[in-house]
Amino acid sequence: MRTDVVRLGRLSGERTGEMMRFLSSMRSDRCIADADVLVDIAHVLMLERQKIIGTDIAKQLLPLLLELNSEGVPEEVFDDRFEDVHAGIESLLIEAIGPDVGGRMHMGRSRNDEVATCIRFKLREDLLKQMAALLKVREVLIALAEAHRESFMPGFTHMQHAQPTTLAHHLLAYEQQFSRDFDRLRDAYVRVNLCPLGAAAFASTGYPIDREYTSKLLGFDGLVVNTMDAVATRDFALETLADLSILMANVSRLCEELVIWSTSFVKFVSLDDAFCSTSSIMPQKKNPDTAEIMRAKTGSVFGAYTGALMTVKGLPMSYNRDLQELTPNIWRGMRDAKESLRLLIDMLSSATFDTDRMKEEAGKGFSTATELADTLVRDYGLPFRTAHNIVGRSVQKGSLTLEALEESAKELDLGISLAGKGLTQDQIEKALDVANSVALRKATGGPAPFATKIAIADRKKQLDTDSALIDSRLAKISKAKEDLLSDARRMVA
C-alpha cells in the first residue's frame, strides 16, 4: 500500500483510521486538486529554468503531471492515509517514477505555500463565476424594471403603506445593492489574485527560485511579497466570505419580499411552480420553498464567515494547522452563495407580477398624503410643518376631504382657511392621485417613469463595463493556463 512519503523520515508508528480521518483535509482538498496539479507544473518548469533540477528530471515529472491534468486526479490520491492531496500526488509520482525523480518535485517549496497558492488559484475562478452570476441577476432586474416603469405599487416603511412608487423603482433598488456586491467582490479579487508560491514554510528557501516567474505562469497579478505573511494570512478568504455574507443578506431581503408578496393576502407576485412545493396534507398549498431555502442558506454563509474568523483570531505567526479547518468554510460559503444566485436568476425571470393588484394597493393607507402636504406648501405658501400637521390630523379623522382639512386646521388653532386660500376638492383629488404623485418624483433616482428611464440607461452602461471587466479577467487566466500547459508540453515533446 502506498504510504504518505512526508512522514517516512521524522515520524514512525501507525496511525489509527480515526486519527487519519481527523487530520486529513481530503474532503476540502477535492476543491483544489486540479489547481494543485497546475501549481506543480509551474513549479517544475521554474525549477528546470533555474537549473535547480535537470531537464531530464523535468521531462520525467511533467508527462505524469500533464496526464493528471487531462485525465483528472485519481481517487486513490484522496485516501485518508495521506494528510492532504499534496502528499497524495507526490506519493503517486514517487511510486510511478521512483524517489530519485519524483522526490525532487517538492524542492524549494513547502505544503504551506503550496496550499495557499492552490486556494487562491481556485478562489479567484470562483469569484469570477460569482461576479458573472451577479451580472445576470442585475440584468434580469434591469429588464424587469424596464417592463414595469409605469407599474404602480405601494412603497413601505415599517411594513406600513408609506408612499406610492413603481415596481421599476423597487427592483432598481435591489439592482443597486447587487451592483455594490459586485464591486466588493471585484475589489476582493485584487487581493486574492496574488501568488504566495516560493514562501516555502515561511522563511523562503536557499534555492535560487524565481517567484515572479511562477506567479506569471499561473496568471497571478503579483506576489504576496513577505514570505511569512504569504503562508500565514487568510484575510483574503475572510474578505471574500464577508463580501459573500453581505451579498446573501441582500439575497435574503429580496427573498423575504417575494415570500410576502406571494401570500394570498398580498398577491403581488406568482412564482413559477418549479420554485414552489405543496403540502403533503393540504392540497391547496403552493409554498415558496426555494426563496425560503435561500434565506436559510444566508445563515449558512454567515456561519462560514464566522467560523473562519474565529479560526484565525488567535493564531500566532506564521503557519498553524488550524488554518486547515478554515478552508472548508471558504468552499461552503462560496458554494451556497453560488447556488443561490443561479436559482435566483431563474426564479426572478419566471416570476409573474400582478400589476393590477399592486396598483389597487398603491393608494391605500393614505399613501399620497405627503403629496397633499407638499401641494399645500407649493401652491398656498404654508410652512411644511403646518401642512404636515393639518394633513396628519385629517388622516387621524379618517378623511382627506376639503371639509376634513378645514376642520383639522381649525382644531389646531392655526387661523387658516384652506378654502379661503383657494383650495378645492378637485385639487385635493389631483394631489392624492397615485400616478400624479409618482410622476412628480422625477429627481435623480426617484420612482417617476422619467427618472427610472434615465436610471435604467445608466445601469445598463455600468453592466456593460462590469461585464467587460469579467471577460478580460477570465481571458487572462485562461491564456495563462493555456501557455503554462503549452510550455510543459514543449519541454517533453
Side-chain angles (χ1 to χ4, degrees):
M1 178 183 288
R2 186 179 300 128
T3 58
D4 186 338
V5 296
V6 177
R7 291 180 55 84
L8 288 178
R10 176 64 176 85
L11 301 174
S12 59
E14 291 296 322
R15 284 173 165 172
T16 65
E18 183 179 14
M19 174 63 73
M20 289 190 291
R21 284 189 295 274
F22 183 78
L23 291 172
S24 175
S25 62
M26 283 303 189
R27 277 179 290 184
S28 60
D29 281 356
R30 289 179 180 275
C31 295
I32 60 171
D34 293 339
D36 190 73
V37 173
L38 294 171
V39 170
D40 286 344
I41 292 172
H43 185 65
V44 170
L45 287 173
M46 183 276 296
L47 292 176
E48 191 277 336
R49 184 173 184 262
Q50 296 299 107
K51 303 188 185 309
I52 298 170
I53 62 173
T55 302
D56 59 325
I57 298 294
K59 284 186 174 184
Q60 294 180 71
L61 287 168
L62 289 173
L64 294 174
L65 292 171
L66 287 169
E67 183 180 351
L68 290 176
N69 175 72
S70 61
E71 301 298 325
V73 177
E75 188 62 30
E76 60 187 302
V77 165
F78 299 106
D79 194 283
D80 281 341
R81 66 181 177 272
F82 306 119
E83 286 187 356
D84 51 44
V85 70
H86 321 294
I89 289 174
E90 186 177 357
S91 297
L92 181 77
L93 294 179
I94 287 174
E95 183 176 270
I97 53 180
D100 192 52
V101 177
R104 298 178 189 274
M105 183 179 71
H106 203 61
M107 296 171 69
R109 71 175 183 186
S110 162
R111 285 185 294 182
N112 296 355
D113 61 332
E114 184 179 3
V115 68
T117 305
C118 293
I119 291 171
R120 288 173 181 266
F121 189 96
K122 167 65 174 169
L123 185 56
R124 70 180 182 188
E125 181 181 332
D126 284 351
L127 275 172
L128 292 176
K129 290 179 180 178
Q130 191 76 337
M131 284 186 274
L134 270 172
L135 289 176
K136 187 63 178 176
V137 172
R138 290 163 57 195
E139 182 183 331
V140 170
L141 287 169
I142 291 169
L144 286 171
E146 195 162 27
H148 290 286
R149 287 177 45 236
E150 297 191 23
S151 297
F152 301 112
M153 66 174 292
F156 301 90
T157 61
H158 310 280
M159 287 295 289
Q160 305 292 319
H161 286 64
Q163 290 179 283
T165 185
T166 57
L167 181 54
H169 188 234
H170 200 116
L171 295 172
L172 286 172
Y174 279 108
E175 191 280 331
Q176 294 244 273
Q177 289 191 18
F178 289 130
S179 178
R180 291 191 295 274
D181 290 322
F182 179 93
D183 291 345
R184 278 184 281 269
L185 293 176
R186 177 197 64 201
D187 293 344
Y189 181 90
V190 173
R191 284 172 283 281
V192 169
N193 198 34
L194 298 173
C195 187
L197 198 62
F202 76 89
S204 190
T205 176
Y207 294 106
I209 62 171
D210 187 340
R211 295 189 65 196
E212 288 78 6
Y213 178 63
T214 46
S215 173
K216 181 180 178 182
L217 283 175
L218 294 168
F220 286 102
D221 292 330
L223 299 176
V224 185
V225 177
N226 182 279
T227 57
M228 183 177 289
D229 180 49
V231 301
T233 187
R234 293 295 185 270
D235 56 8
F236 66 93
L238 296 179
E239 181 179 4
T240 299
L241 288 169
D243 294 345
L244 292 176
S245 295
I246 297 171
L247 162 61
M248 287 301 293
N250 291 332
V251 169
S252 186
R253 293 183 72 179
L254 176 53
C255 287
E256 174 75 4
E257 294 208 302
L258 291 173
V259 168
I260 293 171
W261 289 3
S262 66
T263 59
S264 59
F265 52 87
V266 177
K267 295 188 290 189
F268 283 0
V269 69
S270 176
L271 300 176
D272 189 276
D273 286 358
F275 299 94
C276 301
S277 70
T278 189
S279 167
S280 63
I281 186 172
M282 297 171 284
Q284 83 281 8
K285 294 299 297 295
K286 179 180 176 180
N287 302 321
D289 285 24
T290 303
E292 291 172 342
I293 291 293
M294 284 185 201
R295 286 187 311 193
K297 290 292 185 183
T298 299
S300 176
V301 176
F302 287 1
Y305 172 52
T306 304
L309 198 63
M310 292 301 291
T311 298
V312 301
K313 72 172 183 61
L315 295 184
M317 287 291 180
S318 55
Y319 182 82
N320 297 272
R321 189 69 177 268
D322 310 53
L323 294 177
Q324 177 176 299
E325 286 301 298
L326 182 149
T327 306
N329 288 306
I330 303 174
W331 311 131
R332 177 162 62 94
M334 183 62 74
R335 181 192 67 240
D336 288 346
K338 189 188 308 179
E339 290 176 352
S340 295
L341 274 190
R342 286 174 179 169
L343 287 172
L344 182 62
I345 292 165
D346 294 335
M347 187 166 67
L348 285 172
S349 299
S350 59
T352 304
F353 294 92
D354 190 336
T355 54
D356 290 336
R357 172 67 184 143
M358 288 179 163
K359 186 175 182 180
E360 177 187 334
E361 286 290 323
K364 289 186 178 179
F366 299 102
S367 68
T368 50
T370 302
E371 181 51 39
L372 179 56
D374 288 342
T375 297
L376 298 181
V377 173
R378 282 195 306 263
D379 296 350
Y380 300 102
L382 270 64
F384 177 76
R385 191 54 59 205
T386 300
H388 183 279
N389 288 337
I390 293 171
V391 174
R393 178 60 62 89
S394 297
V395 169
Q396 187 186 65
K397 293 176 178 296
S399 175
L400 287 177
T401 62
L402 179 57
E403 182 181 354
L405 292 169
E406 286 283 83
E407 187 177 343
S408 296
K410 187 175 181 179
E411 285 183 10
L412 293 167
D413 197 22
L414 297 174
I416 296 172
S417 170
L418 296 174
K421 286 179 172 289
L423 181 66
T424 67
Q425 186 62 38
D426 285 344
Q427 288 170 316
I428 293 171
E429 290 175 4
K430 181 180 178 183
L432 295 177
D433 179 71
V434 167
N436 177 70
S437 177
V438 171
L440 288 170
R441 282 153 174 77
K442 57 186 179 182
T444 302
F450 173 82
T452 54
K453 181 179 180 180
I454 294 171
I456 288 167
D458 175 71
R459 301 318 301 162
K460 284 182 176 180
K461 284 183 182 178
Q462 187 60 53
L463 197 65
D464 289 343
T465 299
D466 292 342
S467 181
L469 174 68
I470 295 301
D471 288 345
S472 66
R473 285 180 172 174
L474 284 169
K476 179 181 177 181
I477 62 174
S478 177
K479 186 176 187 308
K481 180 179 177 181
E482 290 174 8
D483 290 347
L484 171 66
L485 295 174
S486 294
D487 289 349
R489 292 186 190 109
R490 275 196 299 270
M491 178 168 290
V492 300

Coordinates of all heavy atoms in Angstrom, one line a residue, residues 152-157 160-166 169-170 361-372 374 384 434 437-438 441 447:
F152 N -47.5 50.8 -11.0 CA -47.6 51.4 -9.7 C -47.8 50.4 -8.6 O -48.4 49.4 -8.7 CB -48.7 52.5 -9.7 CG -48.6 53.5 -10.7 CD1 -49.4 53.6 -11.8 CD2 -47.5 54.5 -10.6 CE1 -49.3 54.6 -12.7 CE2 -47.4 55.4 -11.6 CZ -48.3 55.5 -12.7
M153 N -47.2 50.7 -7.4 CA -47.3 49.8 -6.3 C -47.1 50.6 -5.0 O -46.6 51.7 -5.1 CB -46.3 48.7 -6.4 CG -44.8 49.2 -6.2 SD -43.6 47.8 -6.2 CE -44.0 47.1 -4.6
P154 N -47.5 50.1 -3.9 CA -47.2 50.8 -2.6 C -45.8 50.6 -2.2 O -45.2 49.6 -2.4 CB -48.1 50.1 -1.6 CG -48.3 48.8 -2.2 CD -48.3 48.9 -3.7
G155 N -45.2 51.7 -1.7 CA -43.9 51.6 -1.1 C -44.1 51.6 0.4 O -45.1 52.1 0.9
F156 N -43.2 50.9 1.1 CA -43.4 50.7 2.6 C -42.3 51.2 3.4 O -41.1 51.2 3.0 CB -43.6 49.2 2.8 CG -44.7 48.5 2.1 CD1 -44.5 48.0 0.8 CD2 -46.0 48.5 2.7 CE1 -45.6 47.4 0.2 CE2 -47.0 47.9 2.0 CZ -46.8 47.3 0.7
T157 N -42.6 51.7 4.6 CA -41.6 51.9 5.6 C -42.3 51.3 6.9 O -43.5 51.4 7.1 CB -41.3 53.4 5.9 OG1 -42.4 54.1 6.3 CG2 -40.6 54.0 4.7
Q160 N -45.5 49.4 6.7 CA -46.8 50.1 6.5 C -46.8 50.8 5.2 O -45.7 51.3 4.7 CB -47.0 51.1 7.7 CG -46.8 50.6 9.1 CD -48.0 49.7 9.4 OE1 -49.1 49.9 9.1 NE2 -47.7 48.5 10.1
H161 N -48.0 51.0 4.6 CA -48.1 51.8 3.4 C -47.5 53.2 3.6 O -47.8 53.8 4.6 CB -49.5 51.9 2.9 CG -50.1 50.7 2.3 ND1 -50.3 49.5 3.0 CD2 -50.6 50.4 1.1 CE1 -50.8 48.6 2.3 NE2 -51.0 49.1 1.1
A162 N -46.6 53.6 2.8 CA -45.9 54.9 3.0 C -46.1 55.8 1.9 O -46.8 56.8 2.1 CB -44.4 54.6 3.2
Q163 N -45.6 55.6 0.7 CA -45.8 56.4 -0.5 C -45.9 55.5 -1.7 O -45.2 54.5 -1.7 CB -44.7 57.4 -0.7 CG -44.7 58.5 0.4 CD -43.5 59.5 0.1 OE1 -42.4 59.2 0.4 NE2 -43.8 60.7 -0.4
P164 N -46.6 55.9 -2.7 CA -46.7 55.0 -3.9 C -45.3 55.1 -4.7 O -44.7 56.2 -4.6 CB -47.8 55.6 -4.7 CG -47.9 57.0 -4.3 CD -47.5 57.0 -2.8
T165 N -45.0 54.1 -5.3 CA -43.8 54.0 -6.1 C -44.1 53.2 -7.4 O -45.3 52.9 -7.7 CB -42.6 53.5 -5.3 OG1 -41.4 53.6 -6.1 CG2 -42.8 52.0 -4.9
T166 N -43.1 52.8 -8.1 CA -43.2 51.9 -9.2 C -42.5 50.6 -8.9 O -41.5 50.6 -8.2 CB -42.8 52.5 -10.5 OG1 -41.4 52.9 -10.4 CG2 -43.6 53.7 -10.9
H169 N -38.9 51.1 -9.8 CA -38.1 51.8 -8.7 C -37.7 50.8 -7.7 O -36.5 50.8 -7.2 CB -38.9 52.9 -8.1 CG -38.2 53.8 -7.2 ND1 -38.6 54.0 -5.9 CD2 -37.1 54.5 -7.3 CE1 -37.8 54.8 -5.3 NE2 -36.9 55.2 -6.2
H170 N -38.6 49.9 -7.3 CA -38.3 48.9 -6.3 C -37.2 47.9 -6.7 O -36.3 47.6 -6.0 CB -39.6 48.1 -6.0 CG -39.6 47.5 -4.6 ND1 -40.5 47.8 -3.6 CD2 -38.9 46.4 -4.2 CE1 -40.3 47.0 -2.6 NE2 -39.3 46.2 -2.9
E361 N -53.4 48.5 -4.5 CA -52.9 48.8 -3.1 C -52.1 50.1 -3.0 O -51.8 50.6 -1.9 CB -52.0 47.7 -2.7 CG -52.7 46.4 -2.3 CD -53.5 46.6 -1.0 OE1 -53.0 47.3 -0.1 OE2 -54.6 46.0 -0.9
A362 N -51.7 50.6 -4.2 CA -50.7 51.8 -4.2 C -51.2 53.0 -3.5 O -50.4 53.7 -2.8 CB -50.4 52.1 -5.7
G363 N -52.5 53.3 -3.5 CA -53.0 54.5 -2.9 C -53.6 54.3 -1.6 O -54.1 55.2 -0.9
K364 N -53.6 53.0 -1.1 CA -54.2 52.7 0.2 C -53.4 53.3 1.4 O -52.2 53.6 1.2 CB -54.5 51.2 0.4 CG -55.6 50.7 -0.5 CD -55.8 49.3 -0.2 CE -57.0 48.7 -1.1 NZ -57.3 47.3 -0.8
G365 N -54.0 53.3 2.6 CA -53.3 53.8 3.7 C -52.9 55.2 3.7 O -51.9 55.6 4.3
F366 N -53.6 56.1 2.9 CA -53.3 57.5 2.7 C -51.9 57.7 2.2 O -51.2 58.6 2.7 CB -53.5 58.2 4.1 CG -54.9 58.2 4.6 CD1 -55.3 57.3 5.6 CD2 -55.9 59.0 4.1 CE1 -56.6 57.2 6.1 CE2 -57.2 58.9 4.6 CZ -57.6 58.1 5.6
S367 N -51.5 56.8 1.3 CA -50.1 56.8 0.9 C -49.7 58.1 0.1 O -48.5 58.4 0.0 CB -49.8 55.6 0.1 OG -50.4 55.6 -1.2
T368 N -50.7 58.8 -0.4 CA -50.4 60.1 -1.2 C -50.5 61.3 -0.3 O -50.5 62.4 -0.8 CB -51.2 60.2 -2.4 OG1 -52.6 60.0 -2.0 CG2 -50.8 59.1 -3.4
A369 N -50.6 61.1 1.0 CA -50.8 62.2 1.9 C -49.6 63.2 1.9 O -49.8 64.4 2.0 CB -51.0 61.7 3.4
T370 N -48.4 62.7 1.6 CA -47.3 63.5 1.6 C -47.4 64.5 0.4 O -47.0 65.7 0.5 CB -46.0 62.7 1.4 OG1 -45.9 61.8 2.5 CG2 -44.7 63.6 1.3
E371 N -47.9 64.0 -0.7 CA -48.1 64.9 -1.9 C -49.1 66.0 -1.6 O -49.0 67.2 -2.0 CB -48.5 64.1 -3.1 CG -48.6 65.0 -4.4 CD -47.5 65.9 -4.6 OE1 -46.3 65.5 -4.4 OE2 -47.7 67.1 -5.1
L372 N -50.1 65.7 -0.8 CA -51.1 66.7 -0.5 C -50.5 67.7 0.4 O -50.7 68.9 0.2 CB -52.3 66.0 0.3 CG -53.4 67.0 0.8 CD1 -54.0 67.8 -0.4 CD2 -54.5 66.2 1.4
D374 N -47.4 68.5 0.4 CA -46.5 69.3 -0.5 C -47.2 70.3 -1.3 O -46.8 71.4 -1.6 CB -45.7 68.3 -1.4 CG -44.6 67.6 -0.6 OD1 -44.2 68.0 0.5 OD2 -44.2 66.5 -1.1
F384 N -44.0 73.8 5.7 CA -44.3 72.4 5.6 C -44.8 71.7 6.9 O -45.7 70.9 6.9 CB -43.0 71.6 5.2 CG -43.1 70.1 5.1 CD1 -43.8 69.6 4.1 CD2 -42.7 69.3 6.2 CE1 -44.0 68.2 4.0 CE2 -42.9 67.9 6.1 CZ -43.6 67.4 5.0
V434 N -52.4 58.6 -7.5 CA -51.2 57.9 -7.4 C -50.3 58.2 -8.6 O -49.1 58.5 -8.4 CB -51.5 56.4 -7.4 CG1 -50.2 55.5 -7.7 CG2 -52.1 55.9 -6.1
S437 N -48.8 61.6 -8.2 CA -47.8 61.7 -7.1 C -46.5 61.1 -7.5 O -45.4 61.6 -7.2 CB -48.3 60.9 -5.9 OG -47.4 60.9 -4.8
V438 N -46.5 60.0 -8.2 CA -45.3 59.3 -8.7 C -44.6 60.1 -9.7 O -43.4 60.3 -9.7 CB -45.6 57.9 -9.2 CG1 -44.4 57.3 -9.8 CG2 -46.1 57.0 -8.0
R441 N -42.2 62.9 -8.7 CA -41.0 62.5 -8.1 C -39.9 62.0 -9.1 O -39.6 60.8 -9.2 CB -41.3 61.4 -7.0 CG -41.9 62.0 -5.8 CD -42.8 61.2 -5.0 NE -43.1 61.9 -3.7 CZ -44.0 62.8 -3.7 NH1 -44.7 63.2 -4.8 NH2 -44.3 63.5 -2.5
P447 N -38.9 57.5 -8.3 CA -39.7 56.5 -8.9 C -40.5 56.8 -10.2 O -41.1 56.0 -10.8 CB -40.7 56.2 -7.8 CG -40.9 57.5 -7.1 CD -39.5 58.1 -7.2

